[in-house]
Amino acid sequence: MTPARSFPNRRRLGAVLVALLSSAALCGAPARAQVEVQALAKLDLFSTGRDTGFGMEVWKGSSADIARSVIPTLAAKPLSPAGTSLARRLLAQAATAPDGAGDDADLAAARVKALMALGDAALADNILDRTPGLQNNGPLSQVAAEAALITGQDAKACAIGEALVAARDGPYWLRLRTYCQAVAGKTEAAQLTFTLATQQAKDPVFNRLMGAAINPAAAPGAASLRDGLELALSRRLKLDLTPALPGASLAIANQLAADGDKAAAPAAVPPGLTPFSPMPDTAAAPPAAPTEAQLIAPLKAARSFAAFLAAAKAARPAIAGLAHGTAPLTDPVLVAGAALAAGDIDSAQAIRAGMTQDSVPGANPVDLALLDAALSAAVGKPD
């Protein structure tokens, strides 16, 4: 197949995007170059992104109405791994917007929200850094604040919330404002805003976490990673993120995996201090090492490779302890696989060395062969 014939297929996203990418015929008439160049230069919210190989004209001839109908669904409906990869490349491409939609802020927000849902918070943050008019559009600002929170830029997220002109009193913005006021040490203001937020919309998980952030006597419970605000709160409360990884959004799971986030909970907050207070410079006893059962629970519960990778990296120190310990492992193949995923080849090899084919719990010869193949590839012996 020639490149000219294969190019349209590169713009397909399964059945979902066929209609979008082939909805209108390519413009055949000679263009009025000066008028069109001036119009595009004025504003095109799809022009930020990166080169993923699709080219600047990937959306040329596509109907803006179909784009408005289809793109938001990519943030809501699960795709196959191949579909997810293709969708991320398509949405990441810096390009000319679908016909007549260059200044459509809501469509631009849907594009970046879909990118976030498909797992790329860092690129979403980069795109929104170069997108004008955030302060005038609630959806764009919310995606920007979430991307900032997920990538660990709390001050930036708070600044985005403060700059917002429209819809400042919606539930999300009240929750973010509560968080930002608490971080700034404005406890009374945070309590008032928190009351307004809970009156507008009930969210038991946020209420539990934020309540503990404001009131040191309240129990925060388990961490939650459904969105950037919950990630930021869970981190500030110094909660163990590992058990929450299976329920993490794909963007958060990918970010934690990229960061190699160490999710083990540090020492508890001393009485009389809020979780946002500066911690006193005192030595604390290290937390007890997790058992194998505690370590493998989030690995088994992971619903995506990103979540598994994040859990493996978070558990890397504990995996090393188990690998070089004397206690027998109940699921050595899984733990060895997690060690490999986390980049700890030594621990994976140590676990494998302790296995004999006749006495490997929960494993068969195929499992062992796959582990051996992965180990060989990891040390540069692909043959």
Side-chain angles (χ1 to χ4, degrees):
M1 182 178 289
T2 66
R5 291 181 178 272
S6 64
F7 180 71
N9 290 331
R10 296 168 60 195
R11 292 192 276 162
R12 296 173 186 258
L13 179 57
V16 189
L17 290 181
V18 170
L20 175 59
L21 299 178
S22 62
S23 60
L26 294 177
C27 300
R32 297 176 182 174
Q34 289 186 338
V35 174
E36 291 186 356
V37 169
Q38 290 173 356
L40 290 175
K42 183 179 180 182
L43 182 64
D44 194 324
L45 296 176
F46 273 59
S47 64
T48 54
R50 57 186 175 87
D51 183 9
T52 63
F54 283 112
M56 286 292 295
E57 295 190 347
V58 65
W59 296 101
K60 186 177 180 181
S62 297
S63 162
D65 288 338
I66 295 179
R68 294 183 185 105
S69 174
V70 173
I71 289 178
T73 68
L74 301 179
K77 296 182 178 179
L79 300 172
S80 68
T84 296
S85 176
L86 183 55
R88 284 176 63 175
R89 287 181 55 210
L90 176 67
L91 296 173
Q93 175 67 51
T96 302
D99 292 352
D103 60 351
D104 188 333
D106 288 340
L107 181 58
R111 172 207 176 197
V112 184
K113 184 178 180 181
L115 261 178
M116 286 272 287
L118 294 169
D120 205 333
L123 180 58
D125 180 63
N126 182 266
I127 288 173
L128 290 163
D129 271 347
R130 295 176 288 158
T131 299
L134 285 183
Q135 70 277 10
N136 298 317
N137 186 275
L140 268 177
S141 288
Q142 183 168 337
V143 181
E146 280 290 295
L149 291 168
I150 290 171
T151 53
Q153 304 174 85
D154 289 9
K156 180 179 179 180
C158 294
I160 291 169
E162 283 300 311
L164 182 64
V165 174
R168 285 176 51 84
D169 294 326
Y172 178 83
W173 299 111
L174 288 173
R175 290 170 188 159
L176 177 61
R177 201 173 307 147
T178 303
Y179 174 74
C180 295
Q181 288 167 340
V183 169
K186 301 176 181 178
T187 306
E188 292 184 3
Q191 183 62 66
L192 177 59
T193 310
F194 182 44
T195 300
L196 294 174
T198 55
Q199 289 174 348
Q200 275 213 16
K202 294 182 179 180
D203 187 328
V205 175
F206 174 81
N207 292 352
R208 167 173 57 80
L209 294 173
M210 195 68 242
I214 295 174
N215 178 10
S224 183
L225 303 176
R226 296 178 303 175
D227 59 24
L229 192 50
E230 289 184 359
L231 168 63
L233 266 170
S234 295
R235 278 174 160 166
R236 289 276 180 172
L237 289 164
K238 308 183 188 306
L239 302 178
D240 183 358
L241 304 184
T242 307
L245 284 169
S249 72
L250 186 56
I252 290 175
N254 282 344
Q255 188 65 40
L256 293 180
D259 293 343
D261 196 274
K262 300 299 182 286
V269 178
L273 294 178
T274 71
F276 297 161
S277 301
M279 293 292 287
D281 187 16
T282 57
T291 64
E292 184 190 357
Q294 292 171 327
L295 184 151
I296 66 177
L299 297 172
K300 288 183 174 181
R303 293 178 295 180
S304 67
F305 178 70
F308 180 88
L309 183 58
K313 287 188 174 183
R316 180 171 173 166
I319 291 173
L322 291 174
H324 300 286
T326 57
L329 299 178
T330 61
D331 198 339
V333 173
L334 176 62
V335 179
L340 273 178
D344 187 353
I345 298 174
D346 289 343
S347 292
Q349 290 175 324
I351 294 170
R352 181 63 183 95
M355 299 183 199
T356 59
Q357 188 164 338
D358 294 335
S359 59
V360 180
N364 57 44
V366 174
D367 296 325
L368 296 177
L370 290 172
L371 177 59
D372 288 338
L375 281 166
S376 297
V379 297
K381 298 179 180 178
D383 292 342

